Amino acid sequence: MKYTIGLSNFHAYRPEYIKQEIWAKLITYNITETLINHTIIKKGNTKYEYKVNFSIAAHICRVFLRLTTEKDSIDVMSLLCKELIPLRNERQYPRLKSAHFRRPRYFIYRVA
């Protein structure tokens, strides 16, 4: 979630502005979740059930919130209906411990 809503880097130095940025991102996250929950997904004769891709939905909502006039408005719900990903419940594999963990490298040899 941190990378999707843009909380990996801050654009301010002062603590009150960082708090403001965090609150703005969390409000955007809540708006995105609300729109995803109200999206109507048509069910057909498909192998999987589908859900809205959150990363793309967050980008669509950011663009929508930045629009200033009604001329530039977009149909957010129809865009969200187009960005679906399948729910694959049988694809839950255990994490590989060796692939994700690497031993730290110490640079003690540089100290002289």
Side-chain angles (χ1 to χ4, degrees):
M1 183 176 103
K2 179 172 82 171
Y3 295 104
T4 304
I5 63 173
L7 279 176
S8 57
N9 296 319
F10 297 110
H11 300 92
Y13 293 108
R14 301 179 92 186
E16 58 267 11
Y17 294 139
I18 292 175
K19 286 180 191 175
Q20 179 183 2
E21 191 171 348
I22 291 171
W23 280 110
K25 301 289 182 167
L26 289 175
I27 290 169
T28 307
Y29 172 79
N30 286 336
I31 290 170
T32 304
E33 279 292 330
T34 303
L35 288 174
I36 287 174
N37 289 335
H38 285 88
T39 303
I40 298 171
I41 300 171
K42 295 178 184 175
K43 297 185 185 213
N45 293 331
T46 59
K47 184 177 179 181
Y48 299 109
E49 292 183 30
Y50 290 91
K51 69 175 185 173
V52 178
N53 186 347
F54 182 79
S55 298
I56 296 176
H59 178 70
I60 291 170
C61 290
R62 252 184 270 132
V63 169
F64 174 71
L65 291 173
R66 287 183 184 161
L67 297 176
T68 56
T69 62
E70 286 188 29
K71 279 187 190 175
D72 298 335
S73 66
I74 56 175
D75 188 13
V76 176
M77 297 310 256
S78 67
L79 289 174
L80 292 178
C81 288
K82 292 178 185 177
E83 302 297 336
L84 302 177
I85 55 174
L87 289 172
R88 295 182 178 130
N89 294 329
E90 71 275 359
R91 283 192 160 196
Q92 295 182 4
Y93 300 109
R95 289 189 175 195
L96 299 173
K97 293 180 181 177
S98 61
H100 293 286
F101 176 73
R102 294 188 181 158
R103 296 183 67 200
R105 255 186 216 174
Y106 300 106
F107 296 108
I108 294 178
Y109 67 90
R110 291 186 180 181
V111 179

